[in-house]
Amino acid sequence: MITLACQIALVAIGLSVVFNVYRIVAGPDVLDRILALDTMVINAIALIVVIAMLFEAPTYFEAALLFAMVGFLTTVSFCKYLLRGNVIE
């Protein structure tokens, strides 16, 4: 039963990645593209967690946590660069 749920979740996450790629390519503004990249990071984290549940491997959860921290810092850096023109003051 958990395998079926994980497969459905993988299909849903894959579909959302396709929509994010469309938003990155056709985004009317740079901010839309940054938000799409941030959403893509969230989808990658969800993908890692679902794969961890599917394979019953707890080390993937640590990888998802690290990926979340790096994704957050990347989004903050992009926004700060767009706002001020530099990242480090």
Side-chain angles (χ1 to χ4, degrees), residues 40-64:
M40 187 90 81
V41 169
I42 293 169
N43 289 335
I45 293 166
L47 185 67
I48 292 171
V49 169
V50 169
I51 288 173
M53 288 175 19
L54 189 63
F55 293 140
E56 297 176 1
T59 54
Y60 287 137
F61 293 111
E62 295 172 3

Side-chain angles (χ1 to χ4, degrees), residues 3-21 39-40 42-48 50-51:
T3 334
L4 179 65
C6 287
Q7 290 172 350
I8 292 171
L10 288 174
V11 169
I13 293 169
L15 189 62
S16 66
V17 166
V18 169
F19 289 143
N20 281 328
V21 168
T39 308
M40 187 90 81
I42 293 169
N43 289 335
I45 293 166
L47 185 67
I48 292 171
V50 169
I51 288 173

Side-chain angles (χ1 to χ4, degrees), residues 25-78:
V25 171
D29 196 9
V30 177
L31 295 176
D32 290 330
R33 290 184 172 105
I34 290 174
L35 286 175
L37 281 173
D38 188 41
T39 308
M40 187 90 81
V41 169
I42 293 169
N43 289 335
I45 293 166
L47 185 67
I48 292 171
V49 169
V50 169
I51 288 173
M53 288 175 19
L54 189 63
F55 293 140
E56 297 176 1
T59 54
Y60 287 137
F61 293 111
E62 295 172 3
L65 183 63
L66 289 172
F67 201 70
M69 288 188 291
V70 170
F72 173 73
L73 290 176
T74 304
T75 304
V76 169
S77 298
F78 274 140

